[in-house]
Amino acid sequence: MHIVSLASSSTCGNAYVIWEDSKRPLLIDCGLSIAKLVSGLRSLGITPDDLAGLFLTHEHTDHVRAMCLKTPFPQKFGIPVYASGGFWDWYSTYQCGHLDAELIHLVEDGMTTDIAGYRVRSFLKPHDAREPMGFKIDGSSASVAFVMDLGYVPPSTEQLLRGAEYLVFESNHDLDMEINSGRPKFLIDRVLGEFGHLSNEQAADSLRRLVTASTRQVILAHLSVDCNRPQIAVSTVMEKLQDTPFRPEVTAAPSGILTQFGT
Ligand SMILES: [Zn+2]
Ligand SMILES: [Zn+2]
């Protein structure tokens, strides 16, 4: 399973590509300009029309920038888009861009989508967006889960994620750095709230419960540029994993630099 972060933060946007050898790639989120998406894909030897589908987690700009154009990225290249009913309501209400009807596909909490030899399971997340989704993608060689933009990890989600070989998992902020960031109080309250973002501690606590012997790599994602540091996030998680018999590789996705993970 190849997993690539094209970018991973509120500041630089979010977009991830996964593929298995001899299968078409999938894109998760498209929070970059079309030019950056195309050049990132090209550097991997992928052209946009190779993509079998685009899965969208939620409507925040750092995840859907390339949807909010007169001719959105998937319209330009004929890529099917999978998102929740809440997302599509938002998209049509705000007339963010034109997409042909045949490119629009609906996912629901607990639903499985079979696409290009993968099974993609959608699950609802606690976040201040319209029906935000996480995705667990089962391939033939491994599974990868995308768990970002959520205020806490519900037990049902932890249960679902147990056994996944790769976890792209939010570790948004260091609590002290966030509290002392000088940001407006309403913004800090939003980030720390149950529909906000996971702190390093929260991510570590949850990972301690859901990592198993199958877990090969934990890719900490959506790190705040201002209120976190990759080494703090990684060491917080690794410390908590000391309480378990499991030692998966723990790494952090850089904010704005294309980085390859997986195999
Ligand atoms: Zn985000
Ligand atoms: Zn968000």
Side-chain angles (χ1 to χ4, degrees):
M1 178 80 76
H2 304 278
I3 303 158
V4 173
S5 166
L6 298 180
S8 180
S9 66
S10 308
T11 309
C12 296
N14 291 273
Y16 308 87
V17 193
I18 72 103
W19 73 97
E20 288 183 309
D21 295 334
S22 78
K23 287 186 193 167
R24 295 174 70 189
L26 302 179
L27 182 65
I28 292 82
D29 284 340
C30 61
L32 310 177
S33 67
I34 290 183
K36 280 190 180 163
L37 283 170
V38 172
S39 72
L41 291 168
R42 188 173 296 144
S43 71
L44 302 168
I46 296 169
T47 59
D49 43 20
D50 291 335
L51 293 169
L54 164 60
F55 285 78
L56 296 176
T57 59
H58 65 299
E59 75 273 19
H60 291 159
T61 311
D62 57 318
H63 299 262
V64 296
R65 189 174 302 277
M67 289 291 289
C68 300
L69 301 165
K70 198 169 160 212
T71 305
F73 172 72
Q75 176 70 22
K76 189 168 175 173
F77 298 102
I79 304 161
V81 186
Y82 297 80
S84 69
F87 174 83
W88 290 121
D89 282 348
W90 172 83
Y91 198 73
S92 61
T93 302
Y94 291 96
Q95 302 181 338
C96 300
H98 170 75
L99 263 191
D100 291 343
E102 69 263 24
L103 297 178
I104 296 175
H105 298 267
L106 191 65
V107 298
E108 291 173 10
D109 184 31
M111 186 174 149
T112 300
T113 305
D114 288 310
I115 176 171
Y118 311 97
R119 303 204 85 192
V120 183
R121 168 83 174 240
S122 317
F123 57 93
L124 203 57
K125 304 177 297 187
H127 190 53
D128 54 358
R130 301 208 191 173
E131 220 183 325
M133 290 291 170
F135 301 110
K136 177 169 176 266
I137 304 169
D138 296 331
S140 349
S141 61
S143 298
V144 55
F146 289 86
V147 193
M148 285 159 293
D149 294 66
L150 69 175
Y152 65 95
V153 187
S156 58
T157 302
E158 289 184 354
Q159 189 56 38
L160 175 71
L161 301 179
R162 284 176 69 82
E165 283 80 3
Y166 298 98
L167 294 163
V168 182
F169 208 88
E170 171 165 71
S171 198
N172 179 256
H173 55 275
D174 173 85
L175 192 56
D176 289 338
M177 288 174 80
E178 183 69 44
I179 289 169
N180 298 308
S181 62
R183 291 172 165 180
K185 185 175 181 304
F186 79 88
L187 192 56
I188 295 174
D189 289 347
R190 183 203 157 238
V191 169
L192 303 187
E194 64 175 354
F195 296 98
H197 293 274
L198 292 183
S199 69
N200 295 338
E201 286 285 328
Q202 284 176 296
D205 279 334
S206 185
L207 285 162
R208 184 176 54 182
R209 288 188 291 270
L210 64 85
V211 159
T212 68
S214 311
T215 315
R216 291 184 207 159
Q217 196 174 43
V218 175
I219 301 150
L220 301 177
H222 209 291
L223 271 66
S224 166
V225 172
D226 299 325
C227 299
N228 208 351
R229 296 289 173 269
Q231 62 274 24
I232 297 176
V234 168
S235 63
T236 304
V237 169
M238 286 183 73
E239 236 165 72
K240 286 269 165 98
L241 291 182
Q242 296 294 322
D243 299 346
T244 76
F246 311 120
R247 299 288 176 270
E249 185 188 348
V250 180
T251 183
S255 170
I257 302 167
L258 182 150
T259 309
Q260 302 207 32
F261 300 98
T263 49

